[in-house]
Amino acid sequence: MTFLRPTLLTLACLFAAHTGASDLPSLGDASSSIVSPQQEHQLGRAWLGLLRGQVSQLDDPQLKDFVESSVYRLSETSQLQDRRLEFVLLNSPQLNAFAAPGGIVGVNGGLFLYAQTEAEYASVMAHELAHLSQRHFARGVEAQQRMQLPLMAAMLAGIVAAAAGAGDAGIATIMSTQAAAIQEQRRFSRQNEQEADRIGLVNLEKAGYDPRAMPLMFERLMRQYRYDAKPPEFLLTHPVSESRIADTRNRAEQFPAKGRQDSLRYQLMRARVQLTYEETPGVAAKRFRAMLDENPGLDAARYGLVLAQMKTGQLAEAGETLAPLLSKTPDDITYNLAQIELDMAANRLDAAERRQERMFALYPSNYPLQQARVDLLLKQQRIADAERALDNLLKTRAKDPDVWYQVAEVRGLSGNTIGLHQARAEFFALVGDYNQAIEQLDFAKRRASNNFQLASRIDARQRELSEEKRLVEQMLR
């Protein structure tokens, strides 16, 4: 399985309640009789809330939008039947990506640092989607249950022998049984990895990428970390060997020598991440400038320099650096968002608003553009308009805790105290803190005591969250 190591115990606790149930539905295979797809979905959402409440995330609308749109595109050519995906973008420069039960897809910011092309990035995500489509979590539970009786019998024999005075012989039996169990789990994990590689390659090619990017990524990572005492999390959960690379390369070579390797948009997102994890914006500016000196046509480096200059308050210089990019592609959403941000920082709010309106005519449902509108409205002190814009954004991002957090802030500014508590409740529920969520709805109900219909809706939502809390606690027992 490809989970973050700190969460394995949590996951084990979560599925323990399910594996003991006697009324689980059978969907035609052994794994479905143990953990159904719907139970995986519930399990994944519960785990996601726990993760969000414990780990720092990247609140970058453009990066989030790229991850979501790229993975959804990959899912269209995958065998994934349930495409109710949820995403979490972790604020870590370490290389990692993972898939959790029920369609949870996680990406560390560090993946963009290590995956040098979009095809390499897509190869990692196609691999993770294959874990989901093949239901490796449920199959892993099923495999453990198959092992359990013979394993327990062998361990019991060893314990009895040790208790009867066999001493070292009994202990050796216990140790060898445990070793056999670990070896079986590793074997099953290797099978999962090989299957995810094979299916990921097929889907990578179907999505229009060059499948050769997968062995290239693995090969470079193995060379880079061959002698490291502590390799990145991705290599701990996805062990890379010479044989695995050779197998993946042989399979990739069977596809036609075509397919997309890279895109400018991916490199622009990489520049955003590189700036995030650079020591200071000034150091980042020097690095991007050096790249431009070496290759003046490197648009991603020019874009990174624009962002770094804005971070250091060099607004006039940022405008000069950005101008050639806008001149070359005047309708590019990424460059226009940078100009909007620049105009807002320079207090040219009318210019920012005019540019936003032009972009909305081209990209009416773009999430980062919608977020930029909210930011501009707040800067213009148009609080009521910002609240309406956020309510509209919730129609498509009702499961995004970052949006709910801002909704709560804006409702507080507008004097909508009941709505403030409701928004806080949704935020806390999404980060797994049901006690706080339910308490916030208590506050809202007291405020709405004179409005029967509103109080009834709040009460109904509170009952829903109480039931969610009960189910999560039941899974954790």
Side-chain angles (χ1 to χ4, degrees):
M1 293 301 294
T2 58
F3 301 103
L4 290 169
R5 288 165 68 91
T7 64
L8 286 170
L9 181 59
T10 302
L11 285 166
C13 294
L14 284 170
F15 73 67
H18 291 307
T19 57
S22 59
D23 57 346
L24 299 179
S26 175
L27 300 182
D29 62 80
S31 58
S32 292
S33 70
I34 294 171
V35 182
S36 73
Q38 181 57 28
Q39 288 169 326
E40 278 193 286
H41 179 82
Q42 293 173 340
L43 172 64
R45 280 12 180 220
W47 178 77
L48 179 59
L50 292 173
L51 180 67
R52 282 172 170 164
Q54 297 172 11
V55 181
S56 174
Q57 287 122 74
L58 286 172
D59 180 15
D60 182 338
Q62 292 192 61
L63 201 57
K64 287 162 64 177
D65 185 61
F66 178 85
V67 170
E68 292 166 9
S69 59
S70 63
V71 175
Y72 271 121
R73 281 198 304 272
L74 283 167
S75 74
E76 291 171 1
T77 60
S78 75
Q79 293 79 13
L80 195 63
Q81 295 182 350
D82 186 349
R83 295 179 186 170
R84 293 176 294 173
L85 302 177
E86 295 241 12
F87 300 87
V88 58
L89 191 56
L90 301 185
N91 183 12
S92 169
Q94 300 302 312
L95 170 66
N96 202 17
F98 54 92
I104 308 302
V105 177
V107 177
N108 279 19
L111 177 59
F112 289 85
L113 302 179
Y114 287 88
Q116 295 183 4
T117 66
E118 184 176 353
E120 290 186 6
Y121 157 85
S123 74
V124 173
M125 303 318 297
H127 176 99
E128 298 304 332
L129 284 176
H131 280 303
L132 292 179
S133 68
Q134 301 310 300
R135 301 192 64 215
H136 284 158
F137 172 78
R139 287 164 58 187
V141 175
E142 191 268 335
Q144 289 178 17
Q145 287 216 346
R146 284 202 314 269
M147 289 171 54
Q148 195 149 354
L149 284 176
L151 174 64
M152 287 179 65
M155 286 194 71
L156 181 60
I159 292 169
V160 170
D168 290 344
I171 294 171
T173 302
I174 296 171
M175 295 297 292
S176 64
T177 305
Q178 290 175 329
I182 292 169
Q183 182 63 27
E184 174 65 16
Q185 288 176 328
R186 286 177 177 168
R187 183 191 66 79
F188 191 81
S189 177
R190 284 196 297 271
Q191 288 177 348
N192 287 353
E193 290 301 304
Q194 290 168 354
E195 185 175 47
D197 288 346
R198 176 175 56 80
I199 292 172
L201 281 171
V202 172
N203 293 333
L204 200 60
E205 193 271 339
K206 284 182 181 178
Y209 292 99
D210 185 350
R212 291 159 183 78
M214 184 180 287
L216 183 66
M217 175 86 170
F218 289 162
E219 190 171 32
R220 183 157 40 76
L221 290 174
M222 192 176 78
R223 282 200 310 268
Q224 187 172 350
Y225 292 101
R226 185 188 297 271
Y227 302 112
D228 276 31
K230 187 179 180 182
E233 191 70 37
F234 184 79
L235 293 184
L236 293 174
T237 54
H238 304 71
V240 176
S241 63
E242 294 281 3
S243 61
R244 182 180 176 191
I245 292 173
D247 180 63
T248 308
R249 186 188 298 111
N250 290 337
R251 291 181 184 277
E253 291 294 336
Q254 296 174 16
F255 293 97
K258 60 180 183 179
R260 185 165 73 257
Q261 275 285 352
D262 204 5
S263 72
L264 175 59
R265 186 167 181 235
Y266 177 74
Q267 293 301 328
L268 298 178
M269 295 304 107
R270 280 194 84 208
R272 295 183 71 84
V273 175
Q274 287 165 346
L275 176 61
T276 299
Y277 295 116
E278 195 62 85
E279 184 179 352
T280 66
V283 171
K286 289 180 182 178
R287 187 170 62 80
F288 287 128
R289 195 183 300 278
M291 293 168 67
L292 272 179
D293 289 342
E294 185 176 334
N295 183 357
L298 201 57
D299 289 346
R302 180 173 292 276
Y303 173 71
L305 180 57
V306 170
L307 300 181
Q309 287 171 329
M310 283 197 287
K311 287 280 188 183
T312 55
Q314 297 174 286
L315 302 185
E317 293 87 342
E320 293 173 6
T321 307
L322 180 59
L325 296 176
L326 283 169
S327 177
K328 185 190 296 187
T329 49
D331 293 337
D332 182 90
I333 184 64
T334 305
Y335 300 153
N336 277 278
L337 284 167
Q339 184 63 58
I340 290 167
E341 183 180 350
L342 181 57
D343 286 337
M344 288 172 58
N347 215 33
R348 298 189 293 265
L349 304 187
D350 289 344
E353 186 171 3
R354 287 193 299 272
R355 189 173 294 273
Q356 278 190 7
E357 291 307 316
R358 190 171 76 81
M359 287 297 103
F360 270 114
L362 297 172
Y363 310 100
S365 59
N366 182 267
Y367 159 48
L369 186 59
Q370 289 177 295
Q371 183 61 61
R373 169 177 273 180
V374 173
D375 296 340
L376 177 59
L377 290 170
L378 289 173
K379 195 162 180 81
Q380 293 172 323
Q381 296 296 310
R382 295 164 59 185
I383 306 301
D385 290 335
E387 186 174 2
R388 282 190 289 271
L390 280 167
D391 288 341
N392 188 57
L393 186 54
L394 283 174
K395 294 175 183 176
T396 55
R397 303 195 66 84
K399 298 297 183 182
D400 189 332
D402 292 331
V403 176
W404 278 111
Y405 186 90
Q406 190 172 34
V407 169
E409 294 292 302
V410 172
R411 287 179 179 176
L413 290 173
S414 72
N416 180 1
T417 308
I418 295 174
L420 158 69
H421 291 305
Q422 289 176 297
R424 283 180 178 171
E426 299 303 325
F427 168 79
F428 283 123
L430 287 169
V431 299
D433 191 341
Y434 285 100
N435 289 333
Q436 285 264 39
I438 291 165
E439 183 180 42
Q440 287 296 320
L441 291 180
D442 270 334
F443 296 149
K445 270 197 304 188
R446 291 175 202 165
R447 293 269 183 174
S449 58
N450 295 327
N451 185 330
F452 176 76
Q453 289 186 338
L454 178 57
S456 296
R457 287 198 300 271
I458 296 170
D459 188 62
R461 181 58 179 151
Q462 191 175 42
R463 288 197 301 271
E464 289 174 357
L465 291 183
S466 295
E467 177 61 14
E468 284 183 27
K469 177 190 174 187
R470 187 189 67 78
L471 290 172
V472 169
E473 289 176 344
Q474 182 180 11
M475 285 189 289
L476 284 169
R477 281 202 297 268

